[in-house]
Amino acid sequence: MGGKFRLTAGAVALCALLPAAVFASPLDPSERRVVINDGDSLTLQDLGDEYYSVTRTEDGYLVVTDENKVFYYADENGEPSKFKARNAHRRSPAEKAFLNGLDREKSFKAHRQKTPNRFEGSYVERKAMRAAWVPTALPASHHSRGHLRFPIILVAGEADGRENLDSAGMYARLSAENYNEDNYLGSVRDYFYDQSSGVFVPTFDIFLVSESEPFEGYIGNEALLMKRAVLSMLEKYPSFDGSLYDGDNDGEIDAFGVLYAGGRYKSGSSHLGGFQTTMKKYKSTVETADGFVFNTCFIIDQGSTHVVQLIHEFSHTMGLKDHYCVWSSDCSANYSSSPYQAPGVHAWDVMATGMYNGSSRKPPNYSAFERNFMGWLNYTVLEKDSLVKALPPLGTNNFAYSVSANEKEWYVFENRQLVKWDSGLPNHGMLVWHIEYNSRLWNGDALNDSVAHQYVDVVEAGDVKVVSQSKGYDSNGGKAYQKDDPFPGSQNVTKLSPVLSHAGDTVLAGLFNILEPDTNVCFVLNRDIPVNGCEYVPVSSSSEESSSSVEPESSSSSVKSSSSSKLKSSSSEALSSSAKSSSSSKAVLSSSSEARSSSSTAIAWQGIPADAGFRVSLSGRMLEIIAPVSGVKVVRIFDMQGNALASVSFAGASYRFDIGAGARGMPLVVRLESGNRAKNFIVR
């Protein structure tokens, strides 16, 4: 039968366990499974992710399996006790006495210490995973711009009686425009369109295959399942055109997904898939007949949460890391008696447990930090002056402030309102993010593993703690623990003072008189200045631009905001959304290895001395910028019709940017901004 999997030469070697460099998603604790445990019905809950997970009873007792896969209560050493696990109403007096005397936290800690991570953390550099905001880092493609296509392979399980979901329905949930069925707020395509202000519009093409072997045999052997899925798809669809899925022309499919039929497949305490990785890591890439390589990938199930799982794992393929606690023993601890709360940013982030908000129908907006990482938002620098600062809602204005503590540490201030994707958040108001870059932790996917030092952290306004990782979930009552996090929030916290770096240095004296009279949030940096109103007035003109003809007419991207109550519109901060976006963003996404030399001509400059040493040159696909001044610089690229093509920021003295070759043969306008200074160049 066409589409069945067949082993090819060398495929059996893939049965070894997956090695390093997988990026997972947290399990949904609202899910329950019922198993027959040595003759008794037992309801279980799974917590954790693909790195490390635990199984417990509905009332919170850790259970582990013996060699026969029978569940027993774990003792304080994390080992099977003599008592088989039962539902609460079925327990004998002896079982109840054992559980009443059990130190549950000690049991969980012992199990964590004895259980190695299924995949070890990788500190190896990965393609497209270094952040553009790191001063010395080179930018790389994150397949995050333009109208791009990605193959999704649905895998039926013949031996398990698991059928694929309807392909038309799957395509609609992933790729339809303005999708609104089954309580969804939109499709995956709609989600990324909204996050990027129309800069990134993905389409997910569906391919159907089937697997004749039981899924259980692929737990720990997902490499084999993914490779067989690709081979079967290429056999069933011989006209597959790899060029349609290689947006940056690097010879690789930008990303692909494998979705196996049914809900999460579980056997004992183990489960199948639920992570993103690269096929190169375990030497299992597949090449198409026309020479395109399948490499970057993810594997998830087709259960009720497949849409939010896909958003989370696909975000990993574009470069984002997990923002929940992943590896350490801090992840499973209880913080009821601790000065800290459970690590991670919980319901506030789609890269944490927020992916399950609203019964997995309301994944939250990307934070300003995540949008900035993707190149979809440029921060407005928070100027230390006496003016009122106004924050409009992030979801509709794509605007946020930032202030640097040092070269690798900064704060981000954004306004989140309970609208559309953010309608499942715990509360509304200003979120304060404290970000710090550490290359080892970034590449090891361990940003929030230390409870005492979070690297992507929400600074909580109030004093209510998330006492355990499971309590951060919406489905576990997480809103009650997090509704005090925004400013002013449920506790009406109107100041944050002082604002300190992790080293204890003062970044700001504070944010004062924080006010949220409607959907805007306002504050001042001087406690003696009142905030009597809170109006956000976007600037629609570019009066400071001496050569506005090179930019879109509505663009105000050339104006660096002074962060007063008259704030600039950020609709042009990320690349132009609308019809202009679709054409201009495509232009920089096709690429070629052919190099060409270029010259640059300065056509306008404001406030930058002629001898400042600013230079812009283009060689082949690489745009090189020399800007020997301190602070963050912003580079914006336009075609000669004024269409915005790209926008990046950097903090070092030089920067190299791969613009692709879509604009080959035509001049480009490169605008370099530093503070309130700007200079335009034409490169050819």
Side-chain angles (χ1 to χ4, degrees), residues 65 68 89 186 324:
T65 55
N68 297 316
H89 70 281
Y324 60 94

Side-chain angles (χ1 to χ4, degrees), residues 1 14 259 438 447 476 492:
M1 177 178 177
L14 295 174
L259 278 65
N438 177 294
L447 296 173
N476 272 11
N492 194 30

Side-chain angles (χ1 to χ4, degrees), residues 11-24:
V12 177
L14 295 174
C15 291
L17 290 179
L18 280 165
V22 297
F23 297 84

Side-chain angles (χ1 to χ4, degrees), residues 13-160:
L14 295 174
C15 291
L17 290 179
L18 280 165
V22 297
F23 297 84
S25 58
L27 298 173
D28 182 1
S30 66
E31 292 184 0
R32 301 291 189 272
R33 58 178 169 132
V34 178
V35 301
I36 302 302
N37 194 47
D38 199 30
D40 287 330
S41 177
L42 176 64
T43 302
L44 298 173
Q45 178 186 36
D46 298 294
L47 298 173
D49 63 8
E50 191 60 22
Y51 297 112
Y52 167 74
S53 61
V54 296
T55 302
R56 67 183 191 179
T57 62
E58 281 198 292
D59 52 348
Y61 291 101
L62 177 66
V63 296
V64 293
T65 55
D66 65 3
E67 63 276 7
N68 297 316
K69 296 187 178 179
V70 175
F71 285 97
Y72 288 79
Y73 301 113
D75 60 22
E76 292 180 358
N77 295 316
E79 301 289 345
S81 68
K82 65 180 181 179
F83 296 104
K84 292 178 184 178
R86 302 175 190 269
N87 289 332
H89 70 281
R90 298 271 296 165
R91 292 169 188 159
S92 68
E95 292 168 353
K96 292 178 181 178
F98 167 75
L99 295 176
N100 288 337
L102 183 68
D103 186 332
R104 283 196 267 186
E105 186 170 351
K106 188 175 181 180
S107 178
F108 277 98
K109 283 187 176 180
H111 182 267
R112 183 67 182 96
Q113 292 170 357
K114 290 184 176 182
T115 307
N117 292 314
R118 181 175 168 201
F119 308 113
E120 290 305 317
S122 170
Y123 301 131
V124 179
E125 296 291 335
R126 300 180 64 228
K127 174 193 171 184
M129 298 310 175
R130 288 299 297 274
W133 34 261
V134 178
T136 59
L138 295 178
S141 171
H142 289 68
H143 50 266
S144 58
R145 278 185 169 81
H147 289 250
L148 302 182
R149 296 168 65 175
F150 303 89
I152 298 295
I153 307 173
L154 305 187
V155 183
E158 293 181 4
D160 300 294

Side-chain angles (χ1 to χ4, degrees), residues 264-285:
R264 183 69 61 93
Y265 190 94
K266 299 169 183 176
S267 178
S269 297
S270 302
H271 55 269
L272 178 67
F275 59 86
Q276 181 270 321
T277 188
T278 60
M279 302 289 275
K280 285 182 178 178
K281 295 298 178 181
Y282 34 94
K283 300 179 181 179
S284 58
T285 56

Side-chain angles (χ1 to χ4, degrees), residues 215-396:
F215 283 154
E216 184 174 8
Y218 295 109
I219 295 177
N221 300 326
E222 286 91 346
L224 179 58
L225 180 57
M226 288 187 285
K227 182 164 187 175
R228 285 164 62 101
V230 173
L231 291 172
S232 184
M233 185 267 289
L234 294 176
E235 179 185 6
K236 185 176 181 180
Y237 301 89
S239 61
F240 179 86
D241 183 356
S243 67
L244 298 177
Y245 306 100
D246 180 18
D248 56 5
N249 287 348
D250 66 350
E252 289 188 3
I253 305 300
D254 292 328
F256 72 97
V258 172
L259 278 65
Y260 64 85
R264 183 69 61 93
Y265 190 94
K266 299 169 183 176
S267 178
S269 297
S270 302
H271 55 269
L272 178 67
F275 59 86
Q276 181 270 321
T277 188
T278 60
M279 302 289 275
K280 285 182 178 178
K281 295 298 178 181
Y282 34 94
K283 300 179 181 179
S284 58
T285 56
V286 177
E287 186 171 331
T288 67
D290 49 354
F292 293 91
V293 175
F294 283 84
N295 180 32
T296 300
C297 56
F298 57 89
I299 177 170
I300 60 176
D301 60 78
Q302 296 178 35
S304 61
T305 64
H306 66 271
V307 169
V308 293
Q309 285 188 68
L310 195 148
I311 289 172
H312 179 102
E313 301 300 348
F314 186 78
S315 296
H316 279 316
T317 74
M318 293 192 289
L320 289 178
K321 306 301 182 182
D322 289 311
H323 296 159
Y324 60 94
C325 187
V326 175
W327 302 94
S328 75
S329 59
D330 287 352
C331 303
S332 56
N334 187 286
Y335 293 89
S336 299
S337 302
S338 170
Y340 301 106
Q341 75 165 6
V345 294
H346 307 295
W348 298 108
D349 197 339
V350 75
M351 300 313 294
T353 55
M355 61 187 284
Y356 297 115
N357 288 355
S359 300
S360 301
R361 294 298 191 270
K362 299 177 179 179
N365 282 314
Y366 267 22
S367 69
F369 161 67
E370 291 161 340
R371 294 181 179 202
N372 177 260
F373 173 83
M374 292 295 178
W376 300 336
L377 175 149
N378 288 327
Y379 299 132
T380 294
V381 176
L382 187 60
E383 303 289 352
K384 299 177 183 179
D385 54 33
S386 58
L387 299 175
V388 173
K389 318 297 180 181
L391 273 173
L394 175 70
T396 53

